[in-house]
Amino acid sequence: MNDWHSWAAVVVFVGAYALIISEKIHRVAVALGGAGLMLAIGATDDESAFYSEHSGVDWNVIFLLMGMMVIVGVLKKTGMFEYLAIWSVKRARAKPFRVMAMLVVITAVASALLDNVTTVLLIAPVTLLVCERLGLPAMPFLIAEILASNIGGTATLVGDPPNIIIASRAGLTFNDFLVHLAPIVAVLLVVLVALCRVMFRKSFVYDEDRAVEIMALEEREAIHDPRLLIQGLIVLTLVVAGFVLHPVLHYEPSVVALLGAGLLVALSSVDIGDVLKEVEWPTLAFFAGLFIMIGGLIETGVISEVSTQLADAIGDNELGGSMSLLGASAVLSGIVDNIPYVATMAPITSDLVQNMGGNSGHVLWWALALGADLGGNATAIGASANVVVLGIAERNRQPISFWQFTKYGLVVTAVTVALSLVYVWLRYFALA
């Protein structure tokens, strides 16, 4: 970090981050403006920003989101989300906390089986309708689902994009993640439900009149295009199968999502213009700008310098290294999106594992995964799912501010990371 480009990149990123936090300027304008400044000062260039897998826009994320948004846009026209909203409220007897607990568990499990971004794209519309039916503020429910998606996604290889990067670098399998991370994720999910009961207690207002009205509804009447629903569910099933079979098919999730979106639009008679209106274009633009800004930090060596300093501090101390890597990853993933952070940290972790004479299932990999995945809950821009849900909330006139999310996210991150530190110490050191 000796040349002026590095310090200029830091100034641009910190300035942009401060503006996003302050919410004086819309976050999309800040992200695109920050990206433009990174290009203008030479921190990165067009080749790196648009074509580099290491430091450019992650087009796999962009097109995964776009493809799934198109599929969700078509499914919204069938009445499926209204059906699910009425069904879930009736199963929970219209009790707000029961509804939240149900949605949290469904979100976490679905995030482990699919991925957390796809899950929140499917669950968020249901949640908005549930809250509308019950006369409740959507903000607590959406925040709880974001937190659940990042916790649940930690459990499997496909659940969170950082895990895919780690698995590729370390040679880990789907079952490796289940064996090492699913046990602690199950504990953290129970803890999250308990925390939600405390954090959002003022939002659990039971309206008996609304409850009686909803319990009298017949959810099947909400489906107003059965043929399109069948087509949509078939395509969604194929897409989910494509995600799960990624190790066999070797198709990126973005390719699977785009194929599914194209097939569904081709099969159905929906108006493509109406469907494209459902795509969260501001969210995609925000991601593009954020990736370019972080790419500027990567190209100028800022992130590499931070990672190297962390690696030097760890040395060959397995216990101290695991604790430090987990904690530092949680902090850094809350500030920088956890995808580029893990992409930068994975090769350094690989070197540390080799220096310690470890194998592919070394504790450092699990420390990195836990820290990066759970740290994504800390702030509104810590993980992809956070940004997606905040965009959906804003579009539906239920905006969630940076600080509204972060004040809850920090609490959950602190508790879950602390429990993860205990888990790593017990499983890999005290009881090993």
Side-chain angles (χ1 to χ4, degrees):
M1 282 185 60
N2 293 324
D3 92 21
W4 71 271
H5 287 100
S6 301
W7 291 107
V10 170
V11 169
V12 170
F13 184 81
V14 171
Y17 204 91
L19 286 173
I20 290 171
I21 291 173
S22 72
E23 299 182 323
K24 299 292 185 184
I25 304 174
H26 196 283
R27 65 178 181 273
V28 176
V30 174
L32 293 178
L37 283 174
M38 285 291 191
L39 290 163
I41 64 175
T44 186
D45 56 27
D46 60 326
E47 187 73 25
S48 298
F50 303 125
Y51 303 107
S52 171
E53 288 185 20
H54 178 60
S55 60
V57 176
D58 191 333
W59 296 111
N60 279 315
V61 171
I62 299 294
F63 285 111
L64 167 64
L65 289 172
M66 191 175 80
M68 291 309 301
M69 286 173 180
V70 169
I71 293 172
V72 169
V74 174
L75 288 173
K76 283 176 76 172
K77 296 180 177 299
T78 67
M80 184 184 89
F81 296 123
E82 288 89 342
Y83 174 94
L84 291 173
I86 296 168
W87 179 89
S88 60
V89 171
K90 288 175 73 173
R91 294 300 172 276
R93 310 299 297 176
K95 299 291 180 67
F97 175 64
R98 289 185 187 177
V99 172
M100 179 178 283
M102 177 187 290
L103 291 172
V104 162
V105 172
I106 290 172
T107 300
V109 173
S111 293
L113 297 175
L114 306 175
D115 67 83
N116 52 12
V117 173
T118 301
T119 299
V120 296
L121 280 169
L122 294 170
I123 298 291
V126 177
T127 305
L128 289 164
L129 289 166
V130 165
C131 293
E132 183 183 334
R133 291 281 188 181
L134 291 175
L136 297 169
M139 183 268 290
F141 291 81
L142 291 173
I143 290 177
E145 287 163 12
I146 294 171
L147 301 172
S149 72
N150 287 322
I151 290 172
T154 305
T156 67
L157 187 157
V158 299
D160 210 358
N163 290 6
I164 298 173
I165 298 170
I166 290 170
S168 175
R169 173 66 67 164
L172 299 167
T173 66
F174 190 93
N175 287 339
D176 288 331
F177 277 86
L178 277 180
V179 170
H180 289 272
L181 298 185
I184 182 61
V185 167
V187 173
L188 296 181
L189 182 56
V190 174
V191 171
L192 174 63
V193 172
L195 285 172
C196 287
R197 185 71 179 90
V198 176
M199 293 190 302
F200 304 122
R201 60 188 179 278
K202 293 181 181 178
S203 302
F204 303 134
V205 179
Y206 179 68
D207 186 326
E208 190 171 347
D209 291 337
R210 284 180 178 268
V212 171
E213 184 182 318
I214 292 172
M215 296 304 290
L217 292 175
E218 176 53 59
E219 54 264 42
R220 291 184 181 179
E221 293 177 3
I223 302 297
H224 44 75
D225 194 336
R227 183 171 180 274
L228 182 59
L229 176 62
I230 292 170
Q231 292 173 333
L233 289 177
I234 290 172
V235 169
L236 183 60
T237 302
L238 291 173
V239 168
V240 171
F243 291 158
V244 175
L245 294 174
H246 173 263
V248 178
L249 300 176
H250 304 295
Y251 284 124
E252 289 297 325
S254 56
V255 175
V256 175
L258 285 175
L259 285 171
L263 177 62
L264 184 54
V265 171
L267 288 175
S268 64
S269 57
V270 296
D271 185 288
I272 187 63
D274 289 343
V275 172
L276 290 177
K277 288 177 183 176
E278 297 295 331
V279 174
E280 301 286 337
W281 298 110
T283 300
L284 301 184
F286 177 78
F287 270 119
L290 187 62
F291 281 131
I292 293 173
M293 282 201 295
I294 295 169
L297 297 180
I298 294 172
E299 286 292 314
T300 54
V302 175
I303 290 182
S304 178
E305 178 69 20
V306 172
S307 301
T308 303
Q309 291 293 331
L310 177 60
D312 290 342
I314 289 171
D316 58 359
N317 181 349
E318 282 196 18
L319 175 57
S322 301
M323 300 294 109
S324 300
L325 182 58
L326 200 162
S329 295
V331 172
L332 292 170
S333 291
I335 299 170
V336 182
D337 186 276
N338 57 13
I339 297 174
Y341 168 73
V342 169
T344 303
M345 200 62 204
I348 295 171
T349 304
S350 180
D351 291 341
L352 287 171
V353 170
Q354 288 180 1
N355 292 339
M356 294 179 187
N359 55 26
S360 64
H362 196 275
V363 59
L364 287 181
W365 289 117
W366 309 122
L368 176 61
L370 284 167
D373 293 347
L374 298 177
N377 271 335
T379 69
I381 62 171
S384 302
N386 312 15
V387 178
V388 170
V389 175
L390 263 62
I392 293 172
E394 184 177 26
R395 187 187 183 104
N396 287 274
R397 297 182 178 83
Q398 301 261 13
I400 301 170
S401 73
F402 183 94
W403 286 114
Q404 275 180 315
F405 176 87
T406 303
K407 70 180 180 182
Y408 298 113
L410 285 173
V411 171
V412 171
T413 300
V415 172
T416 54
V417 169
L419 290 172
S420 297
L421 288 168
V422 174
Y423 170 76
V424 168
W425 174 70
L426 283 174
R427 175 160 184 174
Y428 301 102
F429 298 98
L431 303 178

